[in-house]
Amino acid sequence: MFRPKKILVPTDFSKNADYALRQAIEMAEQFGAKMNIIHVDEKNTEKMPFFFLDDAKLTEIHNSIEGFINDEFKKIDDQYFKGKDIEHEFITKHGHSHSVIIEHAKENKCDLIVMPSKGQSAIEGFFFGSTTEKVARKAPCSVFIVREKE
Ligand SMILES: Nc1ncnc2c1ncn2[C@@H]1O[C@H](COP(=O)(O)OP(=O)(O)OP(=O)(O)O)[C@@H](O)[C@H]1O
Ligand SMILES: [Mg+2]
C-alpha cells in the first residue's frame, strides 16, 4: 500500500491552496506523514535590478514581503494545525515556483505533492494553472491534484 512519509504542499495562499492543504492534512494524519508547506517568493527584490531604489528601500520592500509570508504561514498554522499532532515545517524559497517546488521535493525526499488544479489566478477555461501543470509533468514523486470546490 502507498504510504507517504513526507507530503509537500506548495501554497500561493489562495483559497484553492488552502483547500488542498486541508486534504493533505487529513492524509498526513491518516498515514503519520510529515509535512512541508512551501511558498516560493518569485519577486526576489535582492536579485531585481531596481537601480532607481536605494539599498534601504530595497531592504524595506524585502522585509515587508517576508513579513507578509510569515503572517500567512502563521494564519495557516493557527487555522489548520492547532491541536493536531503532525510534524510540519513552513518554508520560503526564492526563484521560479515550479522549479523550486520540484527541487525541494527531490532534495528533501518528499514522496507526495498535494496541490490544487488552479491557484490565485484561476483563469476560466484552463483546467490546470501553469505551476500545477509543470509540477505534475516534472515532479520526482506522485502528485495529488485537488479539484477546486465549485
Ligand atoms: N509562488 C508559489 N509558491 C508555492 N506554490 C505555488 C506558487 N504559485 C503557485 N503555486 C502552487 O500551484 C497552485 C496552482 O497555482 P498556479 O500558479 O498553477 O495557477 P493559477 O495561479 O491559477 O494560474 P497561473 O498559471 O496564471 O499562475 C497553487 O495553489 C499552489 O499550490
Ligand atoms: Mg499562479
Side-chain angles (χ1 to χ4, degrees):
M1 186 190 167
F2 176 60
R3 292 184 73 90
K5 291 191 184 69
K6 199 189 269 186
I7 302 174
L8 177 62
V9 181
T11 182
D12 56 357
F13 305 124
S14 61
K15 260 198 211 145
N16 289 344
D18 270 16
Y19 185 59
L21 174 73
R22 279 158 49 204
Q23 299 206 4
I25 287 174
E26 286 178 16
M27 290 183 210
E29 280 185 305
Q30 196 165 342
F31 295 115
K34 294 179 186 165
M35 289 182 73
N36 278 185
I37 301 99
I38 189 170
H39 176 72
V40 184
D41 177 14
E42 294 196 307
K43 307 177 213 61
N44 186 356
T45 50
E46 278 166 351
K47 291 191 183 142
M48 276 189 194
F50 278 143
F51 55 87
F52 49 89
L53 293 175
D54 57 30
D55 283 356
K57 194 74 198 161
L58 281 178
T59 306
E60 193 185 315
I61 295 172
H62 182 72
N63 290 345
S64 84
I65 293 173
E66 216 172 80
F68 167 79
I69 294 168
N70 291 337
D71 286 351
E72 291 298 311
F73 278 155
K74 169 99 179 47
K75 278 191 228 159
I76 289 176
D77 203 31
D78 290 345
Q79 201 171 349
Y80 302 122
F81 285 97
K82 273 270 145 66
K84 293 208 158 66
D85 188 22
I86 299 172
E87 203 178 308
H88 63 289
E89 211 181 313
F90 293 102
I91 298 137
T92 306
K93 288 190 175 176
H94 301 276
H96 294 295
S97 52
H98 61 97
S99 324
V100 173
I101 292 163
I102 290 162
E103 271 317 298
H104 182 88
K106 278 184 193 157
E107 283 168 11
N108 295 277
K109 300 192 167 48
C110 297
D111 45 10
L112 180 65
I113 300 175
V114 177
M115 64 199 297
S117 53
K118 291 177 189 172
Q120 198 82 258
S121 319
I123 299 166
E124 282 287 325
F126 287 92
F127 180 64
F128 290 118
S130 58
T131 315
T132 298
E133 196 210 314
K134 286 176 192 142
V135 171
R137 263 195 292 127
K138 295 180 185 162
C141 60
S142 295
V143 181
F144 185 89
I145 298 175
V146 177
R147 180 75 186 254
E148 70 275 13
K149 255 211 265 204
E150 291 304 326

